[in-house]
Amino acid sequence: MRNLTIKALVIYAAALFILASGCQNERPEAEKRLPSEIQSAINDSVFSLFFDGKLTGREQMSSVRDNITADLMDSVITDPDSLDDIEYIAYAELLNWSGKDKKAREIFMSLRDNEGEVGRSALSSLIELETDSGDFRKAIELVSEYRERFCRDQKSRPGMYNMLEELSGRLNNAGNPEDAARVIIKELNSLECVYPHSSYYLISELMPLMLELGRSGEYLEMALSIRGDLERSLEAHVDSMAYNDTLTKDDDSILQDYKTLMSRYNSVIDQVRLIGETAPAIDHVHVYNADSTFIFSDLEGKIVLLDFWATWCMPCKIGFKETRKLLDEFHDQGLEVIGVTSLQGMYPGLETGNTPAGRRKELDPEREIELTASFIKENGITWPCLISRRNIFDNEYSLSIIPTLIILDRDKKVRFILSAIGSYPQMRRLVKKLI
């Protein structure tokens, strides 16, 4: 299914839609369904394709979603008088997906000034519409309005991260990393560190933008400042708690959230400190697609893309397609790709590590090396891949997320770090600049 066309993907997704929305012959043929029902089943179908590795990136997901929606509009209840406001918004979102953005915008605008869930949903949908249409200036204005109206509570900022992630991603892929960074920084500056919040996801999203812009020092100062605020907030939280026999620190979920957040901040801070430094060598126990004498120093004089992955990581599998595109375009100009993984003690589909029974087992290293060879072949990986002696989450590159992509210049200095997929335009810009 690797080379499926959009049309074939739509047919496949339609079959998933039927499964997601229930057996069709259980309903009278003429009965129409609520917009939210249709919308939910469409999203389930598209995400099933994504997690099966058949879709890569926002553009392909949106294209398949929109094609399915256009085919299903006749099965949707469309009478405004029979729909409450939330369902009316869901109907407008379906209109937008099916290409009728003018009518969708009218509905969103008519409901955006409402209070509560209706106004929040209408304004959120309007931001999505303007982002999809490429009117980024308008989308940025609406995000500011959304923040002012619906994000006053620091403990709950509903939907804000997803909107900013989509908007900054579109801006970045359109070649506007400065604007993409600006919208994230504005949100970070609006946060008060009085509770564990989504700032880590924002600071992680911001890092590759600031690195491309040459603002790693500014980024480091920002990350250190927020971490310091969180440390003080954590201390205040602990001081305010009355731990006893029935509530210990181990039972305090907020405390655990703080600890997780601090660990993630430490990871991005350690990573940005690598920029401009010589890349740490990777000692390996096995290598695929290369001579067994391969050593890290063989990369001298090459632009190198290190791709950290694991066999159980679906986004990693999706990311291989972007890596392949970069290698195909720039290999003749000096780009080398090196995949890096490590023994995990498990393999997808085997009863090792990922089931209650499997947690008591650990896959034999030799067997895992053999299975990983099959994985590499099945996923069309032709570049060298190392099985690192150290766990990929316990090495000098301070990974907390995979896939992570790291670009080294010809002097083996670290120039760029990205923990994500779907950022091919940015990766292409950076590789082209170094070459």
Side-chain angles (χ1 to χ4, degrees):
M1 308 265 309
R2 186 174 297 144
N3 297 315
L4 284 175
T5 63
I6 291 294
K7 183 177 180 181
L9 285 168
V10 170
I11 293 171
Y12 185 80
L16 291 173
F17 172 88
I18 291 171
L19 292 173
S21 54
C23 182
Q24 299 301 291
N25 59 19
E26 291 180 1
R27 300 171 179 267
E29 187 174 341
E31 182 182 346
K32 295 188 175 184
R33 283 170 287 174
L34 289 170
S36 61
E37 290 183 291
I38 299 286
Q39 187 180 45
S40 177
I42 291 171
N43 283 330
D44 287 345
S45 299
V46 171
F47 278 106
S48 292
L49 286 170
F50 175 78
F51 287 115
D52 283 344
K54 297 178 177 68
L55 296 176
T56 58
R58 297 177 178 87
E59 290 76 10
Q60 201 173 30
M61 290 180 70
S62 296
S63 179
V64 170
R65 179 200 67 189
D66 295 351
N67 277 279
I68 301 171
T69 306
D71 289 342
L72 294 171
M73 286 303 291
D74 289 341
S75 64
V76 184
I77 297 173
T78 59
D79 178 13
D81 293 334
S82 67
L83 300 173
D84 62 25
D85 286 343
I86 292 296
E87 286 294 342
Y88 199 34
I89 291 169
Y91 168 59
E93 288 173 344
L94 291 175
L95 286 174
N96 182 36
W97 294 355
S98 63
K100 300 176 181 177
D101 56 301
K102 183 176 180 181
K103 178 61 177 176
R105 183 179 280 103
E106 290 176 2
I107 295 173
F108 296 145
M109 291 294 291
S110 70
L111 296 172
R112 65 179 280 189
D113 293 332
N114 288 36
E115 296 299 322
E117 180 65 15
V118 172
R120 188 187 71 78
S121 296
L123 186 54
S124 174
S125 296
L126 194 57
I127 292 168
E128 180 185 346
L129 186 153
E130 301 298 1
T131 300
D132 288 345
S133 70
D135 190 344
F136 300 127
R137 181 191 60 79
K138 185 63 176 176
I140 291 170
E141 290 177 1
L142 292 173
V143 165
S144 294
E145 178 184 338
Y146 187 96
R147 181 185 294 110
E148 178 64 27
R149 290 177 58 191
F150 300 109
C151 297
R152 297 190 183 97
D153 183 355
Q154 293 293 319
K155 296 182 181 181
S156 175
R157 301 174 77 85
M160 180 58 94
Y161 167 70
N162 288 336
M163 283 188 294
L164 289 174
E165 191 268 344
E166 181 69 19
L167 177 55
S168 65
R170 292 291 184 93
L171 283 163
N172 186 25
N173 285 346
N176 300 309
E178 184 76 49
D179 291 337
R182 189 176 296 114
V183 298
I184 295 177
I185 290 172
K186 186 170 184 179
E187 173 66 6
L188 285 169
N189 288 340
S190 75
L191 293 173
E192 297 175 19
C193 297
V194 296
Y195 196 81
H197 46 52
S198 62
S199 64
Y200 164 72
Y201 300 100
L202 295 169
I203 206 78
S204 180
E205 196 86 20
L206 180 63
M207 184 167 72
L209 300 170
M210 297 294 272
L211 295 184
E212 181 179 2
L213 295 168
R215 296 162 61 183
S216 60
E218 179 184 345
Y219 174 84
L220 180 59
E221 288 182 11
M222 184 182 305
L224 288 169
S225 176
I226 296 174
R227 188 184 67 176
D229 290 342
L230 286 167
E231 286 174 342
R232 287 184 284 275
S233 180
L234 169 58
E235 292 170 2
H237 169 76
V238 171
D239 289 345
S240 70
M241 298 297 291
Y243 296 111
N244 51 47
D245 291 339
T246 58
L247 178 64
T248 67
K249 288 186 176 182
D250 289 340
D251 300 322
D252 185 348
S253 61
I254 294 178
L255 174 60
Q256 302 313 315
D257 287 345
Y258 266 118
K259 287 184 175 180
T260 299
L261 192 59
M262 300 298 291
S263 174
R264 289 173 172 171
Y265 262 86
N266 290 338
S267 175
V268 296
I269 288 168
D270 288 343
Q271 282 189 332
V272 79
R273 283 173 168 160
L274 282 174
I275 300 300
E277 299 296 322
T278 300
I282 300 173
D283 187 19
H284 61 276
V285 297
H286 192 80
V287 60
Y288 304 92
N289 298 334
D291 190 278
S292 59
T293 61
F294 174 92
I295 56 176
F296 198 68
S297 59
D298 291 344
L299 305 174
E300 197 75 44
K302 301 284 188 179
I303 304 298
V304 178
L305 174 60
L306 298 177
D307 182 0
F308 291 84
W309 54 268
T311 54
W312 46 261
C313 170
M314 178 53 67
C316 297
K317 293 174 66 176
I318 294 170
F320 294 150
K321 299 179 181 180
E322 294 189 346
T323 300
R324 188 176 299 109
K325 286 169 66 177
L326 286 168
L327 187 60
D328 288 346
E329 182 174 0
F330 295 110
H331 182 257
D332 290 344
Q333 300 173 59
L335 175 67
E336 297 287 347
V337 174
I338 305 296
V340 184
T341 187
S342 60
L343 294 173
Q344 302 290 300
M346 60 165 287
Y347 190 82
L350 298 182
E351 196 177 273
T352 54
N354 54 353
T355 67
R359 292 191 188 101
R360 295 191 294 272
K361 301 179 182 179
E362 188 158 306
L363 189 62
D364 177 77
E366 290 186 7
R367 177 59 174 155
E368 186 174 350
I369 289 172
E370 179 184 340
L371 290 167
T372 302
S374 299
F375 174 90
I376 287 172
K377 183 176 180 180
E378 290 167 5
N379 285 276
I381 299 174
T382 58
W383 49 91
C385 289
L386 311 179
I387 290 189
S388 172
R389 192 173 298 278
R390 294 177 62 177
N391 190 291
I392 52 173
F393 293 108
D394 182 26
N395 63 29
E396 294 177 84
Y397 288 95
S398 301
L399 273 63
S400 62
I401 296 174
I402 53 173
T404 289
L405 303 172
I406 299 178
I407 298 178
L408 315 181
D409 65 18
R410 297 185 190 275
D411 296 321
K412 289 176 60 179
K413 304 288 188 184
V414 177
R415 293 302 177 194
F416 184 74
I417 301 174
L418 170 71
S419 296
I421 57 173
S423 299
Y424 172 76
Q426 184 180 33
M427 296 295 292
R428 186 180 183 278
R429 291 195 303 265
L430 288 156
V431 171
K432 190 173 182 179
K433 183 178 179 180
L434 287 173
I435 285 177

